[in-house]
Amino acid sequence: DNATNPQLDWYEYNYTVNIDTTPPTWVIEPSNQTINEGESLSYKIRASDNIELDTYSINDTTNFAINQSGTVSNATELLVKTYNVNISVNDTSNNLLSKAISITVQDVISPVISSITATVSTTTATIAWTTNELSNSSVSYGITENFGSHNGSSGLVTSHSINLNGLSSSTLYYYNVSSCDQSSNCATNGTFNF
């Protein structure tokens, strides 16, 4: 008190500390995704929490990004392949929820055919061309533009060369070339003649 006489009183208080051990739950659960080559990924997930969400994350930050609204996007141009990623979200008490998914980029683009040449002798011809991706080789040919004959190779290459044998000398032949990649995207160029 004002006269500096001490008075000691004891009070007992009880506190209850609630520790959050409940992880977030998925509202929109991550699932496997497929996009076409050249497309951009924009995939929305969502989680909720009994207290408060903190951050979304993805383990492959070289190829993907995820914002704090739960939208996954590609961070770079994606190759044709399957990416296995883990998407996570944690709450403010650091309780973690995660799910592994795959993101598949499928090839839907046909090969580009260029540099077509025909090297001709008396009864043979070699048809050559290039493609910008691995693909097979096929030549349709004949003495009319309906062709009628075919020769090819199933090997996947970018430099193509097909021999045509048993041709009639001094005869005009028509031909075109085709190439299909391993995803069965095909391109044809022609009609040409020799």
Side-chain angles (χ1 to χ4, degrees), residues 14 23 33 59 62 67-68 71 77 82 84 94 110 123 125 130 150 164 168 173 181 185 190:
N14 291 317
Q33 297 296 301
N59 65 329
T62 300
N67 65 22
Q68 292 316 301
T71 300
E77 185 175 340
T82 297
N84 294 307
N94 209 31
S110 299
T123 59
T130 60
H150 172 83
L164 310 179
S168 300
Y173 281 87
D181 64 21
N185 301 304

Side-chain angles (χ1 to χ4, degrees), residues 93-158:
S93 299
N94 209 31
N95 297 305
L96 188 67
L97 173 68
S98 63
K99 173 117 186 239
I101 66 167
S102 65
I103 299 171
T104 300
V105 181
Q106 61 185 6
D107 182 3
V108 294
I109 299 175
S110 299
V112 176
I113 297 172
S114 60
S115 305
I116 302 167
T117 61
T119 304
V120 182
S121 66
T122 306
T123 59
T124 64
T126 300
I127 311 299
W129 67 97
T130 60
T131 53
N132 65 332
E133 64 174 312
L134 294 172
S135 51
N136 64 17
S137 311
S138 176
V139 176
S140 296
Y141 65 100
I143 57 173
T144 70
E145 293 188 35
N146 293 327
F147 308 122
S149 297
H150 172 83
N151 196 10
S153 169
S154 61
L156 299 176
V157 296
T158 56

Side-chain angles (χ1 to χ4, degrees), residues 4-190:
T4 66
N5 298 310
Q7 172 69 40
L8 298 178
D9 288 321
W10 295 94
Y11 298 93
E12 182 176 311
Y13 296 95
N14 291 317
Y15 295 95
T16 301
V17 178
N18 292 321
I19 299 173
D20 179 16
T21 59
T22 304
T25 57
W26 295 118
V27 176
I28 301 175
E29 184 173 354
S31 61
N32 296 336
Q33 297 296 301
T34 300
I35 62 171
N36 293 332
E37 180 181 8
E39 284 184 349
S40 295
L41 175 68
S42 181
Y43 172 54
K44 174 78 173 170
I45 61 167
R46 191 157 53 98
S48 68
D49 186 66
N50 60 333
I51 305 296
E52 186 178 0
L53 291 176
D54 187 13
T55 56
Y56 288 94
S57 61
I58 192 164
N59 65 329
D60 183 352
T61 55
T62 300
N63 296 298
F64 301 96
I66 187 168
N67 65 22
Q68 292 316 301
S69 297
T71 300
V72 180
S73 59
N74 52 305
T76 184
E77 185 175 340
L78 299 174
L79 301 175
V80 173
K81 67 180 227 174
T82 297
Y83 298 84
N84 294 307
V85 299
N86 194 60
I87 297 173
S88 302
V89 60
N90 65 309
D91 62 18
T92 52
S93 299
N94 209 31
N95 297 305
L96 188 67
L97 173 68
S98 63
K99 173 117 186 239
I101 66 167
S102 65
I103 299 171
T104 300
V105 181
Q106 61 185 6
D107 182 3
V108 294
I109 299 175
S110 299
V112 176
I113 297 172
S114 60
S115 305
I116 302 167
T117 61
T119 304
V120 182
S121 66
T122 306
T123 59
T124 64
T126 300
I127 311 299
W129 67 97
T130 60
T131 53
N132 65 332
E133 64 174 312
L134 294 172
S135 51
N136 64 17
S137 311
S138 176
V139 176
S140 296
Y141 65 100
I143 57 173
T144 70
E145 293 188 35
N146 293 327
F147 308 122
S149 297
H150 172 83
N151 196 10
S153 169
S154 61
L156 299 176
V157 296
T158 56
S159 294
H160 307 261
S161 181
I162 297 296
N163 294 321
L164 310 179
N165 298 312
L167 304 176
S168 300
S169 62
S170 303
T171 302
L172 180 64
Y173 281 87
Y174 298 90
Y175 72 98
N176 69 19
V177 299
S178 299
S179 288
C180 299
D181 64 21
Q182 59 187 350
S183 299
S184 299
N185 301 304
C186 299
T188 300
N189 206 329

